[in-house]
Amino acid sequence: MNRTSIIAAAALTLTLASCSGPDEKAGAAQDEAAANAASVAYNGTGPAEEAGKAADRANRAVAKARDEQADALKDQGRAIRSQADSDADKLEEQAKAIRGTAKDKAGVLDQQAKTVRQQ
């Protein structure tokens, strides 16, 4: 990952860590509704909110793992392309050497043919 991507990922992680995720918010709403239905004062926390918070953390971890897997696959692709370029460059150099040797041999044979014709 390049530096900009790393900074963006860190900022996103800090932003997500500092705010409630969707499951936590939904859990808080459930806890508040349950407290209201039971005619109990809602104190701002409850079991559904905590479960939602845990689900949000798990979802972020899964998303992070997917991103890391995708990055690893992209890195593999770049490595394969780089190796292919290196192999192709070597083959091009071999082809150039083979053509040069063939040209030299053909030149010798052309000279011999010229000599034979002049005799």
Side-chain angles (χ1 to χ4, degrees):
M1 285 173 41
N2 63 28
R3 184 177 178 165
T4 305
S5 297
I6 292 171
I7 292 170
L12 179 62
T13 301
L14 290 174
T15 302
L16 289 175
S18 66
C19 67
S20 301
D23 290 332
E24 182 180 359
K25 289 177 184 177
Q30 286 177 339
D31 289 339
E32 185 174 11
N36 289 339
S39 297
V40 177
Y42 177 63
N43 64 1
T45 61
E49 182 179 1
E50 291 302 314
K53 189 184 294 186
D56 286 336
R57 278 194 305 269
N59 290 337
R60 283 192 297 270
V62 167
K64 182 179 177 185
R66 271 194 226 124
D67 288 344
E68 289 172 355
Q69 183 181 16
D71 288 343
L73 290 169
K74 282 188 173 200
D75 288 345
Q76 267 185 312
R78 280 191 285 271
I80 289 169
R81 280 191 288 280
S82 177
Q83 184 62 48
D85 287 342
S86 177
D87 291 346
D89 289 345
K90 288 177 188 174
L91 289 172
E92 287 171 2
E93 286 299 316
Q94 287 177 347
K96 190 176 181 181
I98 291 169
R99 285 185 186 103
T101 301
K103 183 178 178 182
D104 292 344
K105 286 180 182 179
V108 169
L109 292 173
D110 287 346
Q111 187 61 39
Q112 287 175 354
K114 187 176 182 181
T115 303
V116 168
R117 284 199 174 108
Q118 289 176 355
Q119 293 178 350

